[in-house]
Amino acid sequence: MSHAIMSFLQASGYLGVFITMALESACVPLPSELIMPFAGYLAGLGHLQFWGVVACGTFGNVLGASIAYSVGRYGSMLAIMRYARLTRLSEGHLQLAQRWFAGRGKAAILVARMLPIVRTFISLPAGVSRMPARPFVAYTLIGSFPWVYMLTYAGSFLGKRWFAITHEIHAFTFGTIALVALWAILSLSRRFVRGLPPNS
């Protein structure tokens, strides 16, 4: 599969990045940890533009996630099960995504976009739970961008050693989660301070 993906990306460029990342977010088990670093490597060689790769990867994620979300929200249970079989979504994967989404709601969409495995399957339970579409798309866009940027930059920076990113992905993941958590804490702190009365 790795060789097939790399050959496809080399032949199709930006369109290939968009398509493969859309499929990945539509519950098709394609590894973004391979797609984006290799695309970043191609950008480092000058075959593609860095920000073009990031844009195609991010918006591909949004499209694919929206497809899975729509199946979950508007499809019957039979349609959902057929979609799961078509995309090779196992019951274990679906249960993992459902557990992650339960009790977290919007925050689950934001954070899950930066977590391996969960990010691929989180859209379906979001649709089933009828999460509003606009927040879903917005959180998907915001959550997808740092993941796509991080992997693309790593591939561009590492050059011929780009494949090493697949072995270090957890370190990058936890680093990204830490940054998101810090951003969330700062945002909540600002809101809290603004809500205090002037004499407090």
Side-chain angles (χ1 to χ4, degrees):
M1 180 185 291
S2 298
H3 292 295
I5 291 174
M6 289 187 288
S7 296
F8 179 67
L9 291 176
Q10 283 182 306
S12 56
Y14 299 113
L15 181 61
V17 175
F18 181 83
I19 291 174
T20 50
M21 290 301 284
L23 290 173
E24 188 254 3
S25 275
C27 300
V28 177
L30 297 179
S32 59
E33 297 89 340
L34 170 67
I35 296 166
M36 296 314 306
F38 182 68
Y41 168 65
L42 294 178
L45 293 177
H47 299 317
L48 300 172
Q49 293 295 320
F50 179 86
W51 287 109
V53 169
V54 172
C56 288
T58 301
F59 286 108
N61 265 181
V62 173
L63 173 63
S66 298
I67 292 172
Y69 168 88
S70 298
V71 171
R73 178 161 185 170
Y74 303 110
S76 64
M77 185 54 63
L78 179 60
I80 293 172
M81 295 309 298
R82 285 179 176 174
Y83 183 78
R85 287 195 296 269
L86 179 65
T87 57
R88 297 184 180 180
L89 173 60
S90 70
E91 185 177 349
H93 287 147
L94 185 56
Q95 290 177 350
L96 176 64
Q98 288 174 329
R99 286 197 301 270
W100 180 260
F101 185 82
R104 294 181 177 91
K106 297 176 182 178
I109 299 300
L110 180 64
V111 178
R113 293 299 167 194
M114 291 167 281
L115 294 176
I117 301 177
V118 177
R119 68 182 310 280
T120 305
F121 307 111
I122 193 66
S123 302
L124 202 56
V128 171
S129 68
R130 299 189 179 279
M131 177 181 177
R134 288 185 179 179
F136 172 81
V137 172
Y139 277 84
T140 297
L141 178 63
I142 295 170
S144 295
F145 174 78
W147 176 261
V148 170
Y149 175 86
M150 175 183 70
L151 294 179
T152 305
Y153 178 80
S156 177
F157 177 78
L158 291 173
K160 292 183 179 180
R161 296 178 293 112
W162 69 270
F163 195 74
I165 187 63
T166 60
H167 302 292
E168 303 295 336
I169 192 62
H170 293 295
F172 281 96
T173 298
F174 291 128
T176 304
I177 292 174
L179 290 176
V180 172
L182 179 61
W183 170 81
I185 291 171
L186 290 174
S187 297
L188 290 173
S189 298
R190 289 175 182 173
R191 290 184 181 181
F192 177 76
V193 171
R194 290 174 182 172
L196 293 175
N199 296 328
S200 60

